[in-house]
Amino acid sequence: MAERVEGFNFEQRHGKERVRVARLWKTKEGKHYVVEWRVGISLFSDCVNSYLRDDNSDIVATDTMKNTVYAKAKECSEILSVENFAIELAKHFISFYRQVTTAIVNIVEKPWERIIVDGQPHMHGFKLGSERHTVEAIVKKSGALQLTSGVEGLSVLKTTKSGFEGFIRDKYTALPETRERMLATEVTGLWRYSYESLSSVPQKPLYFMERYGDVKRVLLETFFGPPNVGVYSPSVQSTLYQMARATLNRFPDIDSVQLKMPNIHFLPVNISNTGGQIVKFNDDVYLPTDEPHGSIQATLSRFWSKM
């Protein structure tokens, strides 16, 4: 929040970015669980004197923030979701330091997945997946909470059941209309939960970890459709809307969904020269491209959502 300083509006925050931490839990049965997080912390605090009067007595050092990440990870003796860790970390800063009025914690979780050997989950073996789980927790001194989870780098492709027709045509339009094309995108999604206070957060262990998997499953099922027949996509815009709507319909504790879905093009290859066409590939050989790509994004929210 801005404040008046020497005739100006002044707003400040400080924090620590890209704090990397891995936490390993071991059960009595010898099964290991591991997470790797990249943590960012931003604090709104009453430390104006450090800017105006060379007085650092109200500053929480950013090195202290880094060390706090490791200490709090150590204190988590039981497996917990990245959402719960972000909330616990933010709660520490707003309760431990009287100067801190609001704490914002952003975390990206690296997708270490348990490996399967001979059909059995390995007790301590993991491989790196692709898409990343993201979280932002904003906690205020009053206990007010704003919690947003998400996924980034979710790459998906279907080889049929996609088209694009009826769009505006003018003298600059070269794109042909089609009812048969490949559809590929890399989904970045954010969903904001309806929990508005620390006291309202579900106490069920690993609740948010399960919810993340459930939301991702709904997004994928809506994109691809039933396994045997699929579902037709008349545009990336239409598919994006159906994915967002399905998420809100399935999960009442999610208030809003934001999706970004670039249209990553696979262009049919045909070879020709001045003498005519040499080879026609009949849409079975493609040139994959990632630049330039279409950019499609939208947010769908309930009427009462603040997103």
Side-chain angles (χ1 to χ4, degrees):
M1 180 178 295
E3 55 187 304
R4 298 286 290 181
V5 171
E6 297 180 346
F8 300 98
N9 287 324
F10 182 59
E11 183 175 343
Q12 52 79 27
R13 67 172 81 177
H14 73 292
K16 198 75 165 181
E17 294 293 333
R18 304 184 74 84
V19 181
R20 295 182 62 182
V21 58
R23 181 62 162 97
L24 174 65
W25 292 278
K26 303 176 183 179
T27 67
K28 293 179 181 179
E29 297 75 26
K31 192 171 186 178
H32 293 187
Y33 294 84
V34 67
V35 294
E36 182 180 343
W37 295 324
R38 189 181 75 227
V39 182
I41 301 162
S42 187
L43 303 183
F44 290 89
S45 61
D46 298 326
C47 60
V48 175
N49 286 339
S50 64
Y51 293 89
L52 303 185
R53 300 178 181 87
D54 301 331
D55 178 359
N56 296 332
S57 59
D58 288 325
I59 288 184
V60 181
T62 65
D63 189 69
T64 302
M65 298 180 201
K66 176 200 69 178
N67 294 337
T68 302
V69 172
Y70 301 131
K72 290 299 175 182
K74 172 65 176 177
E75 290 177 11
C76 297
S77 58
E78 301 292 333
I79 304 167
L80 82 169
S81 69
V82 61
E83 285 87 353
N84 286 116
F85 184 71
I87 291 172
E88 288 302 313
L89 199 54
K91 279 170 57 179
H92 167 81
F93 289 114
I94 58 102
S95 61
F96 194 78
Y97 300 102
R98 62 170 178 79
Q99 298 90 341
V100 177
T101 57
T102 301
I104 302 175
V105 175
N106 289 278
I107 303 180
V108 177
E109 182 173 80
K110 211 166 185 178
W112 289 108
E113 302 169 350
R114 190 174 301 278
I115 198 166
I116 305 297
V117 177
D118 293 334
Q120 297 294 321
H122 201 281
M123 294 289 278
H124 55 262
F126 300 84
K127 66 180 180 67
L128 189 61
S130 54
E131 67 273 4
R132 298 166 296 281
H133 184 175
T134 65
V135 171
E136 179 180 77
I138 303 175
V139 179
K140 296 185 177 181
K141 205 80 159 178
S142 63
L145 169 69
Q146 183 176 297
L147 181 64
T148 305
S149 295
V151 63
E152 60 182 33
L154 180 60
S155 297
V156 290
L157 177 151
K158 61 181 187 178
T159 55
T160 188
K161 296 280 186 171
S162 174
F164 191 50
E165 301 174 285
F167 48 88
I168 294 173
R169 305 198 71 89
D170 57 38
K171 62 181 180 179
Y172 301 115
T173 304
L175 183 69
E177 298 190 1
T178 182
R179 288 190 59 83
E180 178 59 38
R181 66 174 183 172
M182 293 176 68
L183 178 59
T185 187
E186 184 177 286
V187 180
T188 299
L190 295 172
W191 51 94
R192 180 172 293 177
Y193 289 99
S194 58
Y195 310 111
E196 295 186 345
S197 66
L198 294 173
S199 60
S200 66
V201 174
Q203 298 302 305
K204 179 183 177 183
L206 306 183
Y207 175 86
F208 292 109
M209 189 179 294
E210 294 175 6
R211 178 62 88 237
Y212 170 74
D214 291 340
V215 171
K216 193 169 64 170
R217 191 174 304 111
V218 168
L219 293 173
L220 292 174
E221 289 175 354
T222 308
F223 179 86
F224 290 110
N228 295 328
V229 297
V231 61
Y232 182 71
S233 169
S235 66
V236 178
Q237 286 85 344
S238 174
T239 296
L240 182 154
Y241 176 77
Q242 296 301 327
M243 292 165 68
R245 187 177 70 169
T247 302
L248 290 183
N249 285 341
R250 186 75 65 89
F251 306 109
D253 62 345
I254 292 177
D255 273 356
S256 58
V257 179
Q258 180 186 88
L259 295 176
K260 298 180 181 179
M261 293 172 53
N263 190 2
I264 300 174
H265 305 294
F266 281 67
L267 306 178
V269 173
N270 288 297
I271 300 175
S272 62
N273 58 22
T274 55
Q277 190 173 71
I278 300 174
V279 179
K280 181 174 175 56
F281 286 97
N282 295 316
D283 293 343
D284 51 9
V285 177
Y286 294 83
L287 171 64
T289 66
D290 55 11
E291 294 180 351
H293 59 68
S295 178
I296 296 93
Q297 57 183 295
T299 300
L300 190 66
S301 58
R302 306 187 196 278
F303 288 120
W304 56 84
S305 174
K306 297 177 181 178
M307 190 169 189

